[in-house]
Amino acid sequence: MLHLKSLLPVWAEEWRDIIVPGLQIVLIVAIAALLHYLLRKLTRRIAQRYDWPLELEVPVKGVLRWLIVGISFLLVLERVGVSASVLWTAISGFAAVGAVAFFAAWSVLSNFFCALLIFTARPFRLGDHIEVIDTFDKPGARGRVVDINMLYTTIEDGSAEHGGAAFLQVPNTQIFQKTVRRWKHPPAPHTLSPVGEIIQK
């Protein structure tokens, strides 16, 4: 900072307390914008390389963006004279509130994390026919996977009564808590359950 001040002309000496922090803020914003651009490009290449679904690529980009914004905001506050102790107190307060909110919303967040695992581990894909086995003595939710979002996996149950298809929304956590049987193609009209019972399609 002292070296930067020494580069200012004489006429700008009285304005240096404004000019120097202003230049530093501009530099922080420029570096943050460049870093955000590079990380977006890198994330896009990784997503294309490993065939990430859009539902995974968008949240990753969002996390990176807000991480860069948060760090840049803290650096700007430091440049304008906010003390480190005040920043640390604010960060600690936000962290405590965030921890409380995290545990309060754990049921929702667990579905979100399980959705990320579904997108990365790929236990099944859209169009696959699956059965989420409730217990080993009776069949569970069964049908064709038509949608996977951050909370639910939607299954089209073609065996619904009254002649129409029904849509079953299975929480993503249930996918990892229960046994899942998968078919690449529609299963036969009569399929044996794990205990040998006949399941009517």
Side-chain angles (χ1 to χ4, degrees):
M1 181 173 176
L2 293 177
H3 178 68
L4 183 60
K5 288 182 178 180
S6 64
L7 297 178
L8 294 175
V10 178
W11 61 267
E13 284 295 323
E14 60 182 16
W15 297 96
R16 67 180 183 180
D17 291 335
I18 298 176
I19 295 176
V20 172
L23 292 176
Q24 292 174 337
I25 291 173
V26 171
L27 183 61
I28 291 172
V29 172
I31 293 176
L34 178 61
L35 182 61
H36 179 238
Y37 173 77
L38 294 176
L39 287 178
R40 281 180 60 87
K41 296 282 288 186
L42 179 62
T43 304
R44 186 179 299 113
R45 289 188 178 182
I46 294 176
Q48 294 175 351
R49 173 66 176 82
Y50 294 100
D51 193 24
W52 284 5
L54 187 62
E55 292 86 351
L56 176 60
E57 181 182 352
V58 172
V60 169
K61 288 182 178 179
V63 170
L64 292 176
R65 179 177 65 253
W66 286 110
L67 184 61
I68 293 173
V69 169
I71 294 175
S72 302
F73 182 71
L74 294 178
L75 291 175
V76 169
L77 288 179
E78 184 182 3
R79 291 298 92 197
V80 297
V82 179
S83 64
S85 60
V86 174
L87 289 178
W88 177 249
T89 302
I91 293 173
S92 301
F94 283 125
V97 174
V100 173
F102 178 83
F103 287 107
W106 172 247
S107 60
V108 176
L109 293 175
S110 59
N111 283 306
F112 175 80
F113 293 142
C114 288
L116 295 180
L117 291 176
I118 292 175
F119 292 140
T120 54
R122 298 293 183 88
F124 52 82
R125 301 190 180 189
L126 292 178
D128 288 352
H129 291 257
I130 66 172
E131 179 182 3
V132 182
I133 300 174
D134 190 12
T135 60
F136 285 100
D137 59 347
K138 62 179 180 180
R142 177 181 178 183
R144 184 172 63 92
V145 179
V146 295
D147 183 51
I148 304 172
N149 57 38
M150 290 302 168
L151 295 178
Y152 299 101
T153 295
T154 303
I155 301 173
E156 182 183 9
D157 182 11
S159 63
E161 299 179 356
H162 307 296
F167 295 93
L168 309 176
Q169 289 185 316
V170 182
N172 292 325
T173 53
Q174 297 296 315
I175 301 297
F176 290 92
Q177 294 175 0
K178 300 182 183 297
T179 303
V180 176
R181 183 163 50 178
R182 179 180 70 163
W183 296 269
K184 281 291 187 181
H185 303 287
H190 298 280
T191 304
L192 287 175
S193 70
V195 295
E197 297 178 350
I198 297 294
I199 302 174
Q200 297 291 336
K201 185 180 178 182

